[in-house]
Amino acid sequence: MSMIGISTAIGYSLIGLPLAFALAFIAFLFAFVPNIGPWLAGVPAVLVGLMEGGQMALYVILIYGGIQMVESYVLTPIIFKKTVDLPPALLLFFQVLLGLLLGALGLLLAAPILAVLMVIVQELYVKDVLEAEVKEK
């Protein structure tokens, strides 16, 4: 979230977008909302860019899209791998499953619920059952 806020402020300032720091703060806050937060944060920035002209709006879309791509495809998998050890394919499957069953709320809560389930399985099954069987043999 901090990376999104800081890099967005720098990018918007470099292209001369008005209200760059306010829009970057909005991007920082909406980064806490998974999946739809980045889209919601991008709308005001593009609208401000449109007030400056079509080319400025295009620059805003390119900068914000690039920042979101780096965050989504580089930073988030690295952080998930180091903190929770969530397999990306399992996370994607779980997001689709909960999205179909519970709608938008399921999609928003898929990653935290999966992380809790992974910890529960690790603590109750893997450590208690499987490691106990290995010690007995």
Side-chain angles (χ1 to χ4, degrees), residues 1-13 15-31 37-52 56-57 59-61 63-64 67-68:
M1 288 78 179
S2 298
M3 191 283 299
I4 289 175
I6 292 169
S7 58
T8 303
I10 291 169
Y12 289 169
S13 296
I15 63 171
L17 184 69
L19 305 170
F21 292 104
L23 293 168
F25 186 68
I26 290 171
F28 166 76
L29 291 177
F30 275 104
W39 292 96
L40 295 175
V43 171
V46 172
L47 292 175
V48 171
L50 280 173
M51 291 190 325
E52 295 292 312
M56 180 64 78
Y59 290 154
V60 168
I61 291 170
I63 288 173
Y64 193 68
I67 291 169
Q68 288 301 321

